[in-house]
Each structure stands twice: as structure tokens, then as C-alpha cells.
């Protein structure tokens, strides 16, 4: 299929030849290149997709280490699948439930065929579908933003093959689902057809992204900039108004849900959306991200441990594009993604804000886009004068090749080491051993009571422990009245506590969990050092 752009619109996908979006010269229209009918684009995108799925999928169950957040989201998806409500415990509006509803849909068939496989490690395979969709949409978006084919491929490779991406995109995080929806929103906003329904669809999918992970809200201004620059001036007001209206109407469904349940505002005997928002907004800050010793600086170090190229190069590319908006066609086309990087960076730098480790997931596609766009701008600047002076063209081409080779020599060895670790290391052997011990060594699991983190919670449920009564997510032993009522004597009503790194770290703020650790002795230990998992049996004269 082909389509014809209006006279005032840029028509070429290559930034070297495409006129500026505001250029009002009368142009000769020509067919728009469609991704689905462009064989070279399909070949490039398909080859990169195979590479991304291979690297991300190989050894996905063994690396990285299972996290409590992954277990929580999957356990909530399990609760939805089994008709137990919106969570495996009291749903308290910590996040909108749409994210784990999508996880429930993704894992529905495997859980139906083999319920015992519904565990964090095995269900990571579902994230490959999310990664595949996101990678393809990033390539499509890059082409719609007039990046040349090689730059679009570079953006896709940066997004899918960076060791930082490989580690984080493997994990069952709501952020990965939200990124997929936001990329779809950007693709619709930059649609070359410029149909109004595409912009309405962008508003709907943006709202879906926000309801999947609420922190995506900060990216909406960047989406609006992209839509403004890529909509036709004759219908721009209708497009933007329709997108904002659609986004708002879908977004307001969440507080409406709370209102209809009588849980919008605080009250006696029930949770509330207001309390959930208040908790999220009042969490202790992680400190300034560049100050040594702060929590935020530790998170930054963990990102840079896996890869420096994508975060640092992406920030540099965003700065380059934003500084050259006035005279660079590529910069104007990528104004939205560059703004997204700038906003996300500014939010991360708030000293009073809490910075979680998965925060960078939201920035990964935009970092990849602007880094590839910055590379395209540099390549265009190097070669442009050569076209004007044919005698210098071979020299400038050689300089461009030298720059590309230098970048490859710097990046590829570091990425090889990081991706090789992800594809060969086994970080989850202690979790597997602990799950096996709890399934076979504890007498009468149906009546045992065990404090455990959510990374192992579903393993215990499948081994015969009672959900919520036998297998108890350790946070709830102190924070959920529905659970504390079932253990009126605190640690004395428990049989075991599984001291994983997460449990040991957070026990200092949880009296019941701390007491259970103090009044227990190890009966089995798996792993070594800080990453060890201890299964501790409750002891003491008062225990029963």
C-alpha cells in the first residue's frame, strides 16, 4: 500500500533529504515507504529480532537473580487467573492492576496446561513476547521519524542487545509492558498516514501505558511533541484534542474504579487509592544520583556496571539533538524522544525522589533512539560537505568509517562480556534448591507456616502450602491486618522463615519478620555470602 502526503509535509524517510516539518515550500508528493512492504526493512528488522530473542532468551531462567518484585507481579497475575481478586493478598492500590492483568493473559495458556510451571523463572519466557513487540515497534518508530535504515537498525540493536537491556528486559517488570504500549503510542503519533484515529489510538495506548506503570505519566509531554510535529496542520487541533481526551477518559477509569468500590478516599476498615498515592509520593528519597554513597548513586552504579554506552551515549545524543533543533532535520524529527530522555533524567536527579532499579527501563527505547539519531546527525554532518566538494568525499567517507570502527571496537568487547555472562551464568541455583527443599523436606506442607519472599511464594503454593496462610509473603506479616490476625502470637505462630537477601535486608523495618529471624536457627543454607538463602526453623521455649 502507498499513501500520498499533503503538500506541506516532508516526504522522504532519510534525514539527509527530508525537509523540515515546518517547511512550507510546495513539494511534489511521492509514495510513502511502508514498513510491511519494504523488503530491506523487513530483512534488517527480522535479522535483528532473531538476534535479540536469542540473546535475551538463552539462559533466561538462570540469570539475573530472581527478585521479589517479579514474584509479586506474577503472584498477582496468578490471583487474577484463579479468580482470587486483584492480588494474592489485600489489593491496596500500590499500582494500577492493568499491568498484572496483562501478565495473567500472557501466562494463561502455560498455567492452564501445566499449573506447576507458573513460577517466576519459567514465566520469564513470556517477557520475550514483550521484548519482541517493543523491538519491532522501536524500529518502525525510528523509520517513521526519518532515520535511515542503518540508524533504525542501530537503535533496535542498542535497545535489545545492550547488557543493561538484556538483564532488565528478561525480568517480569510492569515497566517492560508499559514501554511496549508507549512505543505503540509513539508509532501511532508519528504515523505517516496522519489519520485522526491514529492519534486517538495514540491517546488510548498512552493511557494504557500509564495504567500499566503510572510513572509513564512523565513521558506524555514528549508524546504530545511528537504528535504535534507529525500531524497535519489542518487537522492538528482535532488530533491533539482527541488524543488528550481519549487518554484522559481511559486514565480516569482507575479512580472511577476506586470510587465505585468505595475506596477512593481513606476510611475505617478499608484501603484507598488516596492512601496508595500518598504512600508512593512519601517514600523516603534515595538522595542525589551523583552524590557518592546515596541510594540513587548505587542504583546508577548498578546500571553503569552492565553498560555505560547506552545511558551515557543516549544522554549525550539527547543533548546534541536538543541543542541542534533549529538547524537539524533529524533533531526536529526526534524532538519527542529527546525530550523524553531529558524529562526522565531530570526526574531521576531529584534528591527527594525514590529511584528504583527498574526505572531506567522506561528510558531504554528513547536512549537508543536518540543515540542512533545522534550518530545519524554526525554521519550526515561528516558526509554533507563531501557531497558539496566531490574531491573530499572519499576522505570524509573514510573518516565516517573510522569513527564507526572506533565505536565498534569500544562497544562490542564490553557488550560481549556482559551478554556472555547473561547467557551462561546461573544466579538462581540457590532459589531452585530452596524451593526443592521446602517441597520435600518440610513435613506436612499443607499445615506448615512459612515466611517467604514473593520470588518463592508461587513455588510453595504449587508444593502444597496454603496460599496466604501457609506460604506468607513476609511483608504482609507486619503490614496487612488480614494476615496479622492469623498470627496473633507473631513469630510463635510460624514454623519457618526463608531468609533470602530481600528478607534480611528489609527485616529491620518489620518487627514480626525481625523477631522470626532472631528466634530461628538455620536448617539448610544454599549459596554463599550475601546472596545465600537460609531456611531457618523457628525455635525458642515459647514457640509451639
Amino acid at each position: 500500500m502507498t499513501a500520498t502526503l499533503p503538500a506541506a509535509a516532508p516526504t522522504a524517510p532519510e534525514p539527509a533529504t527530508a525537509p523540515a516539518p515546518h517547511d512550507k515550500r510546495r513539494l511534489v508528493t511521492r509514495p510513502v515507504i511502508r514498513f510491511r512492504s519494504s523488503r530491506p526493512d523487513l530483512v534488517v528488522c527480522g535479522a535483528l529480532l532473531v538476534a535479540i530473542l536469542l540473546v535475551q532468551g538463552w539462559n533466561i531462567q538462570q540469570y539475573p537473580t530472581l527478585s521479589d518484585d517479579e514474584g509479586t507481579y506474577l503472584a498477582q497475575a496468578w490471583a487474577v487467573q484463579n479468580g482470587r481478586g486483584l492480588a494474592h493478598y489485600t489489593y491496596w492500590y500500590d499500582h494500577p492492576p492493568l499491568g498484572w492483568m496483562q501478565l495473567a493473559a500472557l501466562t494463561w495458556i502455560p498455567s492452564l496446561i501445566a499449573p506447576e510451571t507458573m513460577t517466576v523463572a519459567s514465566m520469564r519466557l513470556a517477557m520475550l513476547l514483550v521484548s519482541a513487540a517493543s523491538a519491532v515497534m522501536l524500529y518502525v518508530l525510528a523509520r517513521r521519524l526519518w532515520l535511515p535504515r542503518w540508524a533504525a537498525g542501530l537503535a533496535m540493536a542498542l535497545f535489545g542487545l545492550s547488557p543493561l537491556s538484556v538483564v532488565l528486559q528478561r525480568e517480569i517488570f510492569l515497566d517492560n509492558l508499559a514501554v511496549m504500549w508507549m512505543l505503540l503510542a509513539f508509532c501511532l503519533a508519528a504515523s505517516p498516514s496522519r489519520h485522526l484515529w491514529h492519534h486517538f489510538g495514540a491517546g488510548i495506548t498512552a493511557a494504557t501505558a500509564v495504567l500499566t506503570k503510572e510513572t509513564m505519566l512523565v513521558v506524555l509531554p514528549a508524546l504530545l511533541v511528537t504528535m504535534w510535529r507529525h500531524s497535519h496542520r489542518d487537522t492538528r487541533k482535532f488530533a491533539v484534542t482527541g488524543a488528550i481526551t481519549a487518554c484522559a477518559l481511559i486514565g480516569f477509569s482507575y479512580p472511577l474504579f476506586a470510587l465505585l468500590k468505595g475506596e477512593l478516599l481513606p476510611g475505617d476498615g478499608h484501603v484507598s487509592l488516596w492512601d496508595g498515592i500518598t504512600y508512593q509520593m512519601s517514600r523516603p528519597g534515595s538522595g542525589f544520583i551523583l552524590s557518592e554513597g546515596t541510594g540513587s548513586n548505587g542504583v546508577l552504579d548498578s546500571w553503569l556496571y552492565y553498560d555505560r554506552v547506552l545511558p551515557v551515549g543516549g544522554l549525550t545524543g539527547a543533548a546534541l539533538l536538543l541543542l541542534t533543533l533549529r538547524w537539524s532535520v533529524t533533531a526536529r524529527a526526534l524532538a519527542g524522544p529527546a525530550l523524553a530522555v531529558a524529562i526522565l533524567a531530570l526526574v531521576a536527579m531529584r534528591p527527594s525522589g525514590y529511584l528504583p532499579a527498574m526505572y531506567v527501563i522506561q528510558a531504554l527505547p528513547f536512549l537508543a533512539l536518540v543515540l542512533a539519531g545522534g550518530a545519524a546527525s554526525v554521519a550526515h554532518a561528516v558526509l554533507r560537505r563531501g557531497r558539496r566538494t566531490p574531491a573530499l568525499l572519499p576522505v570524509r567517507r573514510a573518516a565516517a568509517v573510522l569513527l564507526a570502527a572506533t565505536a565498534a571496537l569500544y562497544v562490542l568487547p564490553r557488550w560481549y562480556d556482559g551478554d556472555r555472562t547473561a547467557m551462561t551464568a546461573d544466579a538462581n541455583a540457590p532459589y531452585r534448591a530452596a524451593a526443592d527443599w521446602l517441597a520435600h523436606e518440610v513435613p506436612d506442607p499443607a499445615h506448615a507456616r512459612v515466611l517467604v519472599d514473593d520470588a518463592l511464594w508461587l513455588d510453595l503454593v504449587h508444593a502444597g502450602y496454603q496460599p496466604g496462610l501457609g506460604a506468607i509473603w513476609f511483608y504482609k506479616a507486619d503490614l496487612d491486618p488480614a494476615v496479622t490476625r492469623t498470627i496473633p502470637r507473631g513469630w510463635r505462630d510460624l514454623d519457618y522463615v526463608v531468609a533470602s537477601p530481600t528478607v534480611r535486608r528489609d527485616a529491620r523495618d518489620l518487627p514480626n519478620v525481625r523477631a522470626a529471624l532472631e528466634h530461628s536457627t538455620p536448617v539448610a543454607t544454599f549459596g554463599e555470602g550475601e546472596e545465600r538463602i537460609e531456611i531457618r526453623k523457628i525455635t525458642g521455649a515459647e514457640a509451639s
Side-chain angles (χ1 to χ4, degrees):
M1 290 180 63
T2 59
T4 303
L5 292 177
T11 58
E14 305 291 339
T17 59
H22 63 276
D23 196 338
K24 297 184 179 180
R25 294 173 295 173
R26 184 138 187 106
L27 304 175
V28 178
T29 59
R30 59 183 175 179
V32 175
I33 297 176
R34 299 289 183 178
F35 174 76
R36 61 180 175 270
S37 59
S38 173
R39 185 175 298 242
D41 281 309
L42 291 173
V43 170
V44 171
C45 183
L48 286 171
L49 181 61
V50 170
I52 289 170
L53 291 179
L54 178 63
V55 172
Q56 291 197 12
W58 197 274
N59 201 48
I60 192 172
Q61 297 187 37
Q62 282 74 46
Y63 192 89
T65 304
L66 303 178
S67 74
D68 188 66
D69 284 326
E70 287 186 276
T72 299
Y73 300 141
L74 189 63
Q76 289 168 323
W78 171 87
V80 171
Q81 287 175 345
N82 289 272
R84 293 175 175 265
L86 294 177
H88 54 317
Y89 287 98
T90 303
Y91 172 60
W92 61 281
Y93 296 92
D94 51 336
H95 298 294
L98 184 59
W100 53 86
M101 287 180 178
Q102 296 172 58
L103 285 176
L106 285 173
T107 59
W108 175 68
I109 293 179
S111 69
L112 187 67
I113 297 173
E116 68 280 359
T117 65
M118 184 76 171
T119 59
V120 177
S122 59
M123 288 300 104
R124 277 182 174 178
L125 292 170
M127 301 311 294
L128 288 178
L129 299 176
V130 178
S131 293
S134 297
V136 170
M137 283 189 286
L138 184 67
Y139 186 92
V140 172
L141 177 59
R143 294 295 279 155
R144 288 186 173 186
L145 297 180
W146 307 330
L147 287 185
R149 188 173 294 115
W150 69 266
L154 176 61
M156 186 175 177
L158 289 166
F159 173 68
L161 296 177
S162 162
L164 180 61
S165 299
V166 171
V167 169
L168 291 175
Q169 289 176 17
R170 286 179 169 192
E171 297 187 78
I172 304 173
F173 288 147
L174 303 182
D175 308 69
N176 286 315
L177 290 161
V179 161
M180 176 185 70
W181 287 108
M182 189 57 74
L183 284 173
L184 179 56
F186 270 84
C187 286
L188 291 170
S191 170
S193 301
R194 301 179 174 186
H195 292 311
L196 287 177
W197 76 265
H198 287 169
H199 298 121
F200 294 166
I204 293 172
T205 51
T208 304
V210 173
L211 290 179
T212 300
K213 188 64 180 288
E214 65 278 6
T215 49
M216 270 294 176
L217 188 67
V218 300
V219 181
L220 295 184
L223 175 66
L224 190 61
V225 168
T226 298
M227 186 179 301
W228 184 270
R229 289 191 170 274
H230 292 269
S231 58
H232 191 265
R233 64 176 180 269
D234 293 339
T235 57
R236 183 169 293 149
K237 292 181 180 178
F238 297 101
V240 173
T241 301
I244 293 175
T245 302
C247 184
L249 289 176
I250 299 298
F252 282 132
S253 64
Y254 186 44
L256 178 61
F257 164 77
L259 177 64
L260 293 175
K261 288 194 66 179
E263 296 176 346
L264 180 62
L265 300 175
D268 294 334
H270 68 80
V271 296
S272 72
L273 175 59
W274 182 262
D275 284 336
I277 294 174
T278 302
Y279 168 79
Q280 295 289 8
M281 297 297 291
S282 62
R283 298 179 73 172
S286 305
F288 184 51
I289 195 169
L290 300 180
S291 296
E292 193 72 26
T294 63
S296 293
N297 185 255
V299 171
L300 175 63
D301 287 343
S302 71
W303 297 341
L304 298 181
Y305 169 80
Y306 289 109
D307 183 23
R308 294 178 179 268
V309 175
L310 188 54
V312 177
L315 286 172
T316 304
L320 172 67
L321 293 171
L322 291 174
L323 290 173
T324 58
L325 278 175
R326 294 188 62 182
W327 58 83
S328 170
V329 175
T330 303
R332 286 191 290 271
L334 291 171
L339 179 60
V341 170
I343 293 173
L344 289 167
L346 289 174
V347 172
M349 294 179 72
R350 293 180 305 129
S352 60
Y354 172 71
L355 186 65
M358 67 283 293
Y359 176 82
V360 74
I361 293 175
Q362 303 168 56
L364 290 177
F366 304 112
L367 289 168
L369 263 178
V370 298
L371 180 51
S377 293
V378 171
H380 178 50
V382 170
L383 297 175
R384 180 174 54 188
R385 291 186 180 273
R387 295 191 185 99
R388 295 176 180 175
T389 311
L392 295 177
L393 185 58
V395 176
R396 291 184 173 274
R397 285 178 174 170
V401 171
L402 181 61
L403 285 173
T406 302
L409 287 174
Y410 176 80
V411 173
L412 293 181
R414 290 164 174 80
W415 279 23
Y416 173 80
D417 290 340
D419 288 344
R420 183 176 180 275
T421 298
M423 297 175 72
T424 57
D426 187 358
N428 292 320
Y431 277 93
R432 292 195 303 274
D436 183 71
W437 194 96
L438 290 164
H440 298 101
E441 300 299 328
V442 174
D444 195 12
H447 296 92
R449 311 198 77 181
V450 182
L451 284 185
V452 67
D453 70 21
D454 259 354
L456 284 169
W457 191 85
L458 277 173
D459 293 87
L460 267 62
V461 170
H462 295 315
Y465 292 79
Q466 295 185 59
L469 296 175
I472 303 173
W473 184 23
F474 74 103
Y475 285 114
K476 299 299 182 176
D478 283 283
L479 302 179
D480 191 338
V483 175
T484 57
R485 284 194 294 269
T486 68
I487 50 172
R489 299 189 303 155
W491 62 271
R492 297 175 181 85
D493 289 321
L494 302 172
D495 298 306
Y496 295 90
V497 56
V498 181
S500 66
T502 302
V503 173
R504 291 194 299 271
R505 181 194 66 204
D506 294 343
R508 62 179 180 270
D509 300 318
L510 302 168
N512 278 332
V513 178
R514 186 172 64 249
L517 291 175
E518 292 172 352
H519 295 86
S520 62
T521 56
V523 292
T525 301
F526 306 99
E528 298 177 350
E530 292 298 320
E531 299 303 314
R532 74 188 185 281
I533 296 178
E534 295 177 346
I535 300 176
R536 303 176 67 92
K537 184 174 178 58
I538 303 297
T539 58
E542 299 92 351
S544 60

